[in-house]
Every structure is written in C-alpha cells, then in structure tokens.
Amino acid sequence: MAKQDRAIRTRQAILEAAAAVFDERGYDAAKLSDILELAQVTKGALYFHFESKEDLANAVIEAQVSAAPEPRPQVSKLQEFVDIGMIFAHRLTHDGLLRGSVRLTLDQGGHELNRGGPYREWTELNLKVLEEAKARGELLPHADPAEVAPLVVGSYAGLNLMSQALGSGRSDMERWASVLYRHVLPSIAVPAVLAMLDMEPGRGERALGGA
C-alpha cells in the first residue's frame, strides 16, 4: 500500500510539474529535463508513468475536467450552471494543473495532442445541467440548451486567450466570467429565477465553500 501511495504521489508531482512548464513555455518549447528537475524525479520514474512527452501532455489535458470539483447542489439548476464556470474561473488563479491544461488546449503547437476532449466534456457537462434547468421550467421557451452550452464553453476559450494576450495572467477571468453570465442569462432565464442567481465575481470561491 505504501508503494502504491508513493507511485500516486509521484505521478501527481510529475503532472503538476509538467503543467507548470507547459503553462510557461507551451508544448513545443517545454523540455522533459525541465519537468524532471521541477518534479524532482528520475527519468525512469517519469517513463514508468508516461510513455512520452505527448502522453504526459495528454494526461495534463485530460485532468482539466476529471480533476474538477463538482458544483454543490443548488435550489436552482441555473445557479449550478453558473457555478460550473465561476468555479473554473476561480481555480485558474491558483490551480497550476488547470492552467497548464488550459494552455495546452489553446496552444497552437503539438498538433498531435487531443485538444478536443475538454471542449466536448465541458459542453456535455453544461448541456446536462441546462437540460435539467429546462425540464424544471427555469429557461425561457426559446432557450435551447444545445446552443447555449457550446456558446458559453467557446466564450471561455476566447476569454482565456484574450486574458493571456493582454498579460493579465488570467487574474481577470472571474470578472469577465461574471460579465459573460450577466449578458447571457437574461436572454435565457425565467425572470424569477434570474433574480436569484449569484453571478458576481467571487462566486466560484463561495460555491466551493458551500456558501
């Protein structure tokens, strides 16, 4: 059991180190030697868990959704929909693994990587919650979850790119996420539900804390 726990910790250390290097330099410029140094593991340990740099990068990408905390149940499904995005924006400020994963999905290098996975998974997650909101009568009659879900996921990708281009280090992502929801939700939410939604900056941290 101790050996298994050590292997799990080693794999996680490699993932987090790789994410940090990928986030800083992008896929093409990232070197395995730098990842090894940051993770403080041997080359043998790395290759025990990952076959190649591509395999390691894909594992970082896959962690974007698989390692994401689930939003706490709320009275309104639309609040859960908002929380998915606000938690994501909040985590970008302190979760290195998420930042590295996002950098890889937006990076133009490494064409062999499976970048589409997180987009599909985030879309499916948002679609599921929106369909539940629709079934509960929380959405306006014209609102189509199959259109709203990819629209919001794509908007996040664009906001991430803009934040990086402007050099803000994603520190403004929560504010922009709040702006996005404040413009989108009035066009799809029933007014009585809309009035109860918390879309303000800081909602991600509050949602994680159960507030």
Side-chain angles (χ1 to χ4, degrees), residues 144-202:
D144 184 354
E147 294 180 346
V148 178
L151 175 65
V152 169
V153 172
S155 297
Y156 265 83
L159 290 171
N160 263 294
L161 283 171
M162 183 177 71
S163 184
Q164 290 184 40
L166 295 177
S168 65
R170 304 192 187 94
S171 61
D172 56 356
M173 274 298 296
E174 282 196 83
R175 180 173 66 86
W176 282 116
S178 174
V179 171
L180 172 65
Y181 288 119
R182 284 193 282 110
H183 282 275
V184 171
L185 268 296
S187 68
I188 67 169
V190 170
V193 176
L194 178 65
M196 298 187 300
L197 298 179
D198 181 357
M199 299 177 280
E200 295 304 310

Side-chain angles (χ1 to χ4, degrees), residues 6 11 38 41-42 66 68 78 94 107 120 127 140 167 188 191 199 206 211:
R6 186 164 60 251
R11 185 181 189 278
L38 186 59
V41 300
T42 65
S66 65
L78 271 183
H94 68 277
D107 200 343
R120 285 190 294 271
L127 178 60
L140 295 171
I188 67 169
M199 299 177 280
R206 290 192 293 275

Side-chain angles (χ1 to χ4, degrees), residues 27-193:
Y27 178 76
D28 288 339
K31 297 180 180 179
L32 288 178
S33 58
D34 294 328
I35 295 171
L36 290 172
E37 181 178 355
L38 186 59
Q40 297 186 320
V41 300
T42 65
K43 185 181 294 185
L46 187 149
Y47 282 113
F48 176 80
H49 293 282
F50 305 100
E51 296 180 358
S52 62
K53 176 181 169 182
E54 177 186 346
D55 185 36
L56 177 54
N58 279 324
V60 172
I61 290 173
E62 291 167 6
Q64 185 177 138
V65 181
S66 65
E70 292 187 8
R72 296 173 183 269
Q74 303 292 329
V75 174
S76 164
K77 281 295 174 180
L78 271 183
Q79 184 64 68
E80 292 180 22
F81 167 66
V82 171
D83 288 353
I84 290 170
M86 295 303 288
I87 288 172
F88 179 91
H90 169 68
R91 289 176 60 226
L92 275 173
T93 64
H94 68 277
D95 189 330
L97 183 55
L98 177 60
R99 287 196 300 271
S101 179
V102 169
R103 171 66 188 270
L104 288 172
T105 58
L106 298 174
D107 200 343
Q108 296 302 306
H111 300 292
E112 65 275 18
L113 299 180
N114 178 27
R115 289 190 179 82
Y119 292 107
R120 285 190 294 271
E121 292 172 10
W122 282 122
T123 299
E124 290 170 1
L125 178 59
N126 280 280
L127 178 60
K128 178 178 180 293
V129 177
L130 283 169
E131 286 177 338
E132 292 173 352
K134 182 86 170 182
R136 290 189 179 191
E138 297 181 16
L139 299 186
L140 295 171
H142 71 272
D144 184 354
E147 294 180 346
V148 178
L151 175 65
V152 169
V153 172
S155 297
Y156 265 83
L159 290 171
N160 263 294
L161 283 171
M162 183 177 71
S163 184
Q164 290 184 40
L166 295 177
S168 65
R170 304 192 187 94
S171 61
D172 56 356
M173 274 298 296
E174 282 196 83
R175 180 173 66 86
W176 282 116
S178 174
V179 171
L180 172 65
Y181 288 119
R182 284 193 282 110
H183 282 275
V184 171
L185 268 296
S187 68
I188 67 169
V190 170
V193 176

